[in-house]
């Protein structure tokens, strides 16, 4: 069975088994390695991508459920004006240590600011709480979100 | 150590393709050491950052600097590099004068070029570096010009741009032609052994193109595509029959942390001795016991490695913190010569100490040896990482004091713990192989071995057991307890986390008893001017804070890591709500780390250490029962998330004339204590065992 995925504006025909979680298709078949696997349980947020503009954790749901859908990964997030602003803000606030959670956080922040350009603290916390950071970069990430929202 | 072993400029700095290459044995684990090293070279040589690279950290090529640990990288690699850079600069100026005339003083270095005053002569520093003698020794007495924090250029963190764009390469992202993926099938728990595997199922899997690798109770499966391998590994697991032996011991570990079960040593000048241990004086004014449970590093990325066995050489890529000790341990395990094992460091996610990285590198090697000429990528699962990483040991600290006129006169501290030294490193009883997890499961097992006491200064569990305060009499005892339920090793701060939690809670309790403000009480036991300055600045920052609302509390703590590195004062404002949940509000950190190299990196380490410690204090504990580890994911092992992040205000004191000291482990200890002290301030409940979860807070409240 061949599925069609639209990833970062490009159409890909994928041959992985339909039950394959999306992240394995992205990383193993399509070699889009920017999306990170942290738990495979939808508990840590490292694997976040956008599907039709909404944050989806890609480590559990089977690729067949995304057939024909528009997917944006970290590799394509900078092509949007919000995504690019978020990336710049993360750099200017030094909002990463090891950086393994960063792709997921950039994706989640982009989705948040696209739907809500001026989020309050609670909305930011709600959007980012599904994402773990073990290095303790949280205060810098929060400053980056604020900066991206204010520019 | 680094300078003595590698005394030449060329050991640390070489030129290639118009760029300077820094050679270091310290690896970047998110602590920004590579950014700091580039900054040091930039400061001394004025070369723009984008013309300075870090050479791959690879065995046989990089300086052997042991393990990247103990917050030592700045003082070891950083110091060596700075001396090398200053020596290089002085050599180059002399060389330019000899080659192109003029006095040394006529030559000025800027933007990586030497210019001679009054001429248009300009020599590129990198070009000239290639010309200096390969055996130029480093001048160990190199003197650097002091530089104030405000005058510091702010380097961009190395790799950051790639991280935000998804183009930074982690170990998990490596690809090789013909590479196969592997997964492990783990025993249900550490005491289990593999009896047999259903042959029909293994036959089916092999017929489908999967390789099954078994050595005793070590079991792995490999195949060309990752997800089919994940699924097949689950099928293989269901075909295994295990002997469960007696299961995991279910006794209360805190009851086992006693002198009766320990090897005990009197600590003198921060190091264990054979001196007789005086009995504790029964006449004490205050005593208390503080405890930390088993906790995990909990790396965000499960451990991984890439290995290939070709032509008698085992090539390994690993996120280990110590590639040389790992090389020797893998070679010994497999009967190879060390130079048959070639390890290159590739970043993983943050590890915060000895995570599963070394074990994964060895397990990948076992699989690669069984499947020659094939690159093998092994990734641990989340379950593997949670259940099989070496944990930070459970600890207990018994403190007692005699007090007179509000001053502590006699102070006694007994610390109890299993070993913090579980890294694979050559030593008696084949200590290297014995500490690689899967060796104990092979058909000819190696290890585990019982831990030998670490006799170094401020090492292992007795790190920061020596109080930073001046007490007229101290009795300090290290108690190494063996035979406890779990494999343990080094986690950020080692014993300092529990020891500082204990001492700084104890100081707070005494300050409360004698109705002395906590900053004043600490100051009255401190003579060192730099410590006093940190506390004065902390007090000043606190004074500028608004008054606390109801149900809120404020606690402070102070520590100097190993009593010789970064000094940190912490103040925590928090609330405890009706459900006994701790909500962090505002944290102040004041730090003195000597001369600052990378201010952003230093702040990030202080903030990160603070939040990791807040997570330990409020949430984290490994749970298990007879059937195995119960903390197997982020639901069963909760950690801090974005819904409990305080504002953090970091002040770094400017010390341009003092040596730079490590800061990566300086803030956690005082943060834990400051949280405990703030909980007491908010509720009157004294929490002496981590984590301060609602159930625990309610229990202590009910017992009061």
């Amino acid at each position: 069975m061949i599925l069609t995925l639209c990833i970062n504006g490009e159409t890909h025909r994928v041959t992985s088994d339909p039950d394959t979680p999306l992240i394995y298709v992205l990383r193993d078949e399509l070699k889009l390695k920017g999306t990170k696997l942290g738990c495979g349980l939808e508990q840590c947020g490292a694997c976040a991508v956008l599907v039709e503009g909404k944050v989806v954790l890609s480590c559990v749901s089977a690729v067949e459920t995304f057939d024909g859908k528009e997917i944006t990964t970290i590799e394509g997030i900078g092509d949007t004006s919000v995504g690019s602003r978020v990336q710049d803000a993360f750099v200017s606030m030094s909002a990463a240590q090891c950086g393994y959670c960063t792709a997921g956080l950039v994706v989640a922040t982009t989705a948040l600011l696209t739907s809500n350009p001026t989020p309050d603290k609670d909305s930011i916390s709600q959007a980012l709480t599904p994402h773990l950071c073990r290095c303790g970069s949280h205060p810098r990430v929060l400053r980056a979100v604020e900066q991206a929202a204010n520019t | 150590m680094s300078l003595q072993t590698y005394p030449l400029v060329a050991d640390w700095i070489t030129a290639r393709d118009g760029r300077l290459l820094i050679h270091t044995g310290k690896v970047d684990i998110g602590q920004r050491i590579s950014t700091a090293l580039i900054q040091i070279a930039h400061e001394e040589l004025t070369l723009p950052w984008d013309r300075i690279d870090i050479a791959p950290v690879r065995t046989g090529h990089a300086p052997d600097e042991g393990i990247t640990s103990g917050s030592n990288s700045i003082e070891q690699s950083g110091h060596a590099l700075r001396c090398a850079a200053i020596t290089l600069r002085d050599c180059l100026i002399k060389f330019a004068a000899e080659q192109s005339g003029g006095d040394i003083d006529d030559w000025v270095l800027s933007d990586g070029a030497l210019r001679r005053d009054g001429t248009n002569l300009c020599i590129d520093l990198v070009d000239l570096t290639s010309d200096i003698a390969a055996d130029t020794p480093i001048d160990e007495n190199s003197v650097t010009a002091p530089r104030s924090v405000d005058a510091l250029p702010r380097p961009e963190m190395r790799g950051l741009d790639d991280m935000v764009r998804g183009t930074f390469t982690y170990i998990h992202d490596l690809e090789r032609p013909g590479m196969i993926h592997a997964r492990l099938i783990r025993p249900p728990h550490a005491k289990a052994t593999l009896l047999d595997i259903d042959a029909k199922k293994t036959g089916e899997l092999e017929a489908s193109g999967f390789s099954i690798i078994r050595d005793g109770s070590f079991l792995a499966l490999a195949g060309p595509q990752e997800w089919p391998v994940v699924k097949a590994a689950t099928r293989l697991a269901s075909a295994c029959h295990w002997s469960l032996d007696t299961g995991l011991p279910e006794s209360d570990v805190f009851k086992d942390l006693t002198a009766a079960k320990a090897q005990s040593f009197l600590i003198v000048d921060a190091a264990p001795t054979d001196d007789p241990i005086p009995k504790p004086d029964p006449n004490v004014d205050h005593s208390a016991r503080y405890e930390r449970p088993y906790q995990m590093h909990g790396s965000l990325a499960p451990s991984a490695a890439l290995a290939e066995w070709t032509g008698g050489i085992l090539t390994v890529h690993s996120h280990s913190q110590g590639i040389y000790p790992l090389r020797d341990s893998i070679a010994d395990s497999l009967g190879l010569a060390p130079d048959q094992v070639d390890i290159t460091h590739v970043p993983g996610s943050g590890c915060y100490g000895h995570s599963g990285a070394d074990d994964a590198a060895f397990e990948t090697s076992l699989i690669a040896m069984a499947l020659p000429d094939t690159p093998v990528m092994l990734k641990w699962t989340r379950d593997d990482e949670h259940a099989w990483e070496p944990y930070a040991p459970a600890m207990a600290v018994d403190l007692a004091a005699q007090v007179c006129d509000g001053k502590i006169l006699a102070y006694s501290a007994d610390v109890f713990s299993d070993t913090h030294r579980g890294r694979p490193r050559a030593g008696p009883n084949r200590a290297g192989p014995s500490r690689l997890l899967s060796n104990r499961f092979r058909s000819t097992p190696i290890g585990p071995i019982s831990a030998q006491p670490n006799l170094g200064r401020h090492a292992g569990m007795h790190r920061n057991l020596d109080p930073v305060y001046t007490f007229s009499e101290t009795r300090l005892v290290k108690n190494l307890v063996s035979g406890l339920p779990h494999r343990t090793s080094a986690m950020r701060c080692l014993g300092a986390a529990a020891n500082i939690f204990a001492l700084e809670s104890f100081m707070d309790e005494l300050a409360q008893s004698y109705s002395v403000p906590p900053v004043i009480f600490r100051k009255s036991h401190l003579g060192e001017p730099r410590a006093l300055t940190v506390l004065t600045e902390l007090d000043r920052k606190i004074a500028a804070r608004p008054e606390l609302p109801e149900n809120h509390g404020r606690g402070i703590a102070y520590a100097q890591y190993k009593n010789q590195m970064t000094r940190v004062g912490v103040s925590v404002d928090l609330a405890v709500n009706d459900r006994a949940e701790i909500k962090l509000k505002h944290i102040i950190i004041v730090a003195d780390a000597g001369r600052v190299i990378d201010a952003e990196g230093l702040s990030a380490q202080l903030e990160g250490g603070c939040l990791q410690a807040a997570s330990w204090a409020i949430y984290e504990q490994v749970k298990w029962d007879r059937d195995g580890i119960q903390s197997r994911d982020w639901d069963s092992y909760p950690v801090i998330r974005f819904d409990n992040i305080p504002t953090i205000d970091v002040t770094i004191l400017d010390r341009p004339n003092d040596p730079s000291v490590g800061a990566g482990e300086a803030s956690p200890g005082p943060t834990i204590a400051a949280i405990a002290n703030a909980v007491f301030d908010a509720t009157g409940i004294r929490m002496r065992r981590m984590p301060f979860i609602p159930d625990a807070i309610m229990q202590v409240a009910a017992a009061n």
Side-chain angles (χ1 to χ4, degrees):
Chain A
M1 183 175 166
I2 293 184
L3 299 169
T4 304
L5 299 180
C6 182
I7 303 171
N8 304 328
E10 267 183 55
T11 304
H12 297 265
R13 291 158 67 78
V14 304
T15 56
S16 296
D17 285 346
D19 72 341
T20 309
L22 177 60
I23 190 167
Y24 291 94
V25 178
L26 296 173
R27 292 181 50 88
D28 200 27
E29 182 174 347
L30 303 175
K31 308 301 177 196
L32 291 168
K33 304 250 180 178
T35 305
K36 302 299 175 204
L37 185 84
C39 64
L41 304 161
E42 296 184 341
Q43 292 176 350
C44 79
C47 63
V49 298
L50 298 185
V51 178
E52 309 284 333
K54 296 258 186 317
V55 177
V56 167
L57 302 183
S58 65
C59 66
V60 173
S61 298
V63 65
E64 62 188 340
T65 59
F66 303 101
D67 191 21
K69 301 257 171 74
E70 294 269 345
I71 297 166
T72 310
T73 68
I74 186 67
E75 288 89 350
I77 211 99
D79 296 339
T80 65
S81 68
V82 177
S84 153
R85 214 162 67 215
V86 171
Q87 286 172 329
D88 291 347
F90 269 65
V91 170
S92 83
M93 290 295 152
S94 236
Q97 288 188 33
C98 81
Y100 201 80
C101 65
T102 308
L105 285 166
V106 166
V107 166
T109 305
T110 303
L112 171 69
L113 297 185
T114 304
S115 65
N116 178 2
T118 52
D120 59 16
K121 280 195 161 54
D122 283 350
S123 313
I124 296 172
S125 163
Q126 204 178 356
L128 300 189
T129 292
H131 297 260
L132 284 183
C133 165
R134 287 292 283 159
C135 296
S137 292
H138 310 72
R140 287 160 186 274
V141 170
L142 294 171
R143 290 203 285 276
V145 176
E146 281 172 27
Q147 179 180 308
N150 291 329
T151 46
Chain B
M1 160 193 119
S2 300
L3 251 184
Q4 280 70 50
T5 318
Y6 297 92
L8 306 180
V9 171
D11 289 330
W12 299 93
I13 307 173
T14 55
R16 194 178 68 188
D17 303 331
R19 307 168 66 79
L20 272 194
L21 199 55
I22 294 172
H23 303 270
T24 173
K26 300 292 185 182
V27 298
D28 206 313
I29 48 178
Q31 86 285 39
R32 288 171 65 132
I33 186 62
S34 54
T35 305
L37 294 176
I38 287 174
Q39 173 63 14
I40 287 170
H42 167 76
E43 274 187 26
E44 301 302 344
L45 297 169
T46 74
L47 193 69
W49 297 308
D50 59 9
R51 290 186 65 197
I52 308 173
D53 295 322
I54 305 278
V57 185
R58 179 179 173 190
T59 53
H61 299 264
D64 178 359
E65 294 190 272
I67 315 263
T68 302
S69 66
S71 298
N72 291 321
S73 297
I74 286 292
E75 288 170 66
Q76 293 173 0
S77 223
H79 174 67
L81 175 67
R82 192 181 289 281
C83 291
I86 295 168
T87 308
L88 175 65
R89 181 186 66 205
D90 294 347
C91 277
L92 293 175
I93 292 174
K94 211 168 128 209
F95 201 53
E98 281 168 14
Q99 274 195 337
S100 308
D103 286 336
I104 287 171
D105 294 339
D106 296 338
W107 289 87
V108 179
L109 183 59
S110 67
D111 291 329
L114 283 158
R115 293 178 176 83
R116 187 177 158 194
D117 268 357
T119 72
N120 55 5
L121 277 174
C122 176
I123 309 171
D124 185 75
L125 176 145
V126 180
D127 292 345
L128 202 58
T129 299
S130 313
D131 294 340
I132 74 154
D135 60 352
T136 304
I138 294 171
D139 176 3
E140 281 187 49
N141 301 314
S142 301
V143 180
T144 180
R147 195 167 209 171
S148 170
V149 171
D150 298 332
L152 272 183
R154 303 243 159 172
E156 186 177 295
M157 175 183 149
R158 191 168 174 262
L160 179 58
D161 208 58
D162 283 322
M163 287 170 183
V164 304
R165 289 169 219 294
T167 49
F168 188 83
T169 301
Y170 296 88
I171 184 99
H172 316 78
D173 305 330
L174 298 180
E175 286 277 344
R176 292 290 182 274
M179 183 177 93
I180 60 170
H181 289 275
R183 288 291 187 279
L184 302 172
I185 292 83
R186 298 277 189 190
H189 56 65
K191 305 276 186 204
T193 47
L194 182 55
L195 294 174
D196 58 69
I197 314 174
D198 183 340
K200 185 166 167 281
K201 284 195 185 161
T202 55
E204 285 167 9
L205 287 165
E206 282 169 337
S208 306
F210 297 104
S211 304
I212 295 170
I213 299 93
R214 179 179 176 183
D215 181 354
S217 297
F218 172 79
L219 184 63
L221 178 140
Q225 287 175 298
E226 193 168 1
W227 177 246
V229 165
V230 174
K231 282 197 294 184
T234 310
R235 279 168 63 201
L236 181 56
S238 71
C240 294
H241 303 284
W242 302 91
S243 160
L244 299 178
D245 194 34
T246 53
L248 295 185
E250 288 189 277
S251 58
D252 178 353
V253 69
F254 295 115
K255 287 192 178 144
D256 290 330
L257 293 172
T258 62
K261 303 198 172 191
Q263 268 183 283
S264 303
F265 302 87
L266 190 72
I267 302 282
V268 178
D269 190 23
T273 63
D274 291 330
D275 296 357
I277 300 168
K279 284 212 160 43
D281 189 332
N283 301 312
V284 295
D285 298 299
H286 190 69
S287 64
R289 178 176 171 100
Y290 303 86
E291 294 162 330
R292 181 187 74 172
Y294 287 103
Q295 293 181 322
M296 63 176 76
H297 305 75
S299 284
L300 189 60
S303 295
L306 175 70
E308 183 174 358
W309 169 244
T310 297
I313 300 290
L314 181 68
T315 308
V316 182
H317 290 76
S318 166
H319 53 116
S320 166
Q321 288 175 279
I323 54 170
Y324 281 98
L326 176 62
R327 176 193 66 177
D328 296 349
S329 302
I330 289 179
D332 185 0
S333 302
L334 299 173
L336 301 174
D339 62 6
Q340 285 181 280
V341 183
D342 177 346
I343 306 184
T344 302
H345 178 265
V346 179
S349 71
C351 59
Y352 328 107
H354 179 205
S355 67
D358 299 273
D359 297 321
F362 173 57
E363 288 157 348
T364 315
S365 302
L366 278 177
I367 300 166
M369 296 287 284
L371 304 169
D373 303 318
T374 311
V376 178
M377 168 66 76
L378 169 68
K379 292 176 191 163
W380 281 20
T381 62
R382 173 49 45 204
D383 187 83
D384 287 336
E385 193 75 31
H386 266 61
W388 293 96
E389 67 144 278
Y391 299 135
M395 288 182 65
V397 189
D398 284 337
L399 300 184
Q402 287 173 350
V403 186
C404 184
D405 294 334
K407 290 274 276 185
I408 297 172
L409 298 179
Y411 174 82
S412 167
D414 277 84
V415 61
F416 304 87
S417 171
D418 201 336
T419 188
H420 294 251
R421 199 161 56 163
R423 293 185 196 270
R425 193 162 17 191
N429 303 316
R430 294 183 79 189
S434 297
R435 291 183 183 137
L436 289 168
L437 173 65
S438 281
N439 268 326
R440 66 187 64 176
F441 295 113
R442 295 169 73 191
S443 52
T444 307
I446 313 171
I449 49 171
S450 39
Q452 297 302 304
N454 191 336
L455 302 178
R457 293 192 78 243
H458 280 293
M461 81 175 80
H462 60 280
R463 183 163 295 172
N464 281 87
L465 185 67
D466 239 337
V468 73
Y469 302 102
T470 310
F471 303 142
S472 2
E473 228 178 278
T474 57
R475 174 192 168 277
L476 310 171
V477 184
K478 169 189 179 117
N479 298 277
L480 175 63
V481 184
S482 304
L484 296 175
H486 306 301
R487 183 171 74 120
T488 57
S489 192
M491 188 168 82
R492 193 176 200 170
C493 308
L494 308 188
N499 287 326
I500 295 170
F501 162 47
L503 170 57
E504 287 300 297
S505 296
F506 195 70
M507 291 298 279
D508 204 70
E509 293 182 36
L510 286 169
Q512 298 288 344
S513 311
Y514 294 93
S515 304
V516 183
V519 170
I520 307 286
F521 186 72
R522 284 172 175 77
K523 279 186 164 181
S524 71
H525 293 87
L526 280 169
E528 201 235 355
R530 286 171 72 175
L532 295 172
T533 305
V534 168
L535 281 169
T536 300
E537 179 62 15
L538 185 69
D539 216 13
R540 197 185 65 77
K541 302 280 294 186
I542 292 170
R545 293 281 302 154
E547 212 159 291
L548 292 172
E550 210 183 327
N551 296 333
H552 283 56
R554 176 173 295 147
I556 69 140
Y558 170 79
Q560 181 182 16
Y561 194 53
K562 304 182 198 173
N563 291 357
Q564 65 197 23
M565 296 172 93
T566 297
R567 297 159 177 84
V568 173
V570 176
S571 167
V572 171
D573 291 358
L574 54 74
V576 181
N577 68 18
D578 297 344
R579 294 185 298 279
E581 294 164 339
I582 295 171
K583 297 293 171 192
L584 299 171
K585 299 296 179 186
H586 185 80
I587 295 184
I588 301 167
I589 299 174
V590 177
D592 171 354
R595 174 189 167 132
V596 176
I597 296 163
D598 168 16
E600 283 293 308
L602 176 55
S603 294
Q605 280 302 296
L606 293 165
E607 291 164 17
C610 166
L611 286 176
Q612 183 160 40
S615 189
W616 297 338
I618 301 176
Y619 300 100
E620 298 187 32
Q621 61 180 326
V622 173
K623 293 184 177 174
W624 74 95
D625 65 11
R626 181 190 161 82
D627 297 330
I629 299 295
Q630 294 173 314
S631 304
R632 302 188 86 102
D633 59 26
W634 297 118
D635 282 346
S636 50
Y637 187 84
V639 298
I640 202 165
R641 288 180 180 264
F642 274 95
D643 58 2
N644 200 7
I645 301 301
T647 47
I648 303 187
D649 172 3
V650 178
T651 300
I652 295 171
L653 300 178
D654 197 10
R655 291 277 177 190
N657 295 300
D658 292 301
S660 307
V661 289
E665 297 165 294
S667 63
T671 299
I672 301 166
I675 291 173
N677 296 339
V679 169
F680 180 82
D681 189 46
T683 63
I685 299 167
R686 175 57 64 180
M687 296 306 295
R688 299 195 183 100
R689 176 186 290 179
M690 296 157 65
F692 317 143
I693 52 175
D695 278 359
I697 294 176
M698 304 271 212
Q699 266 177 28
V700 176
N704 275 355

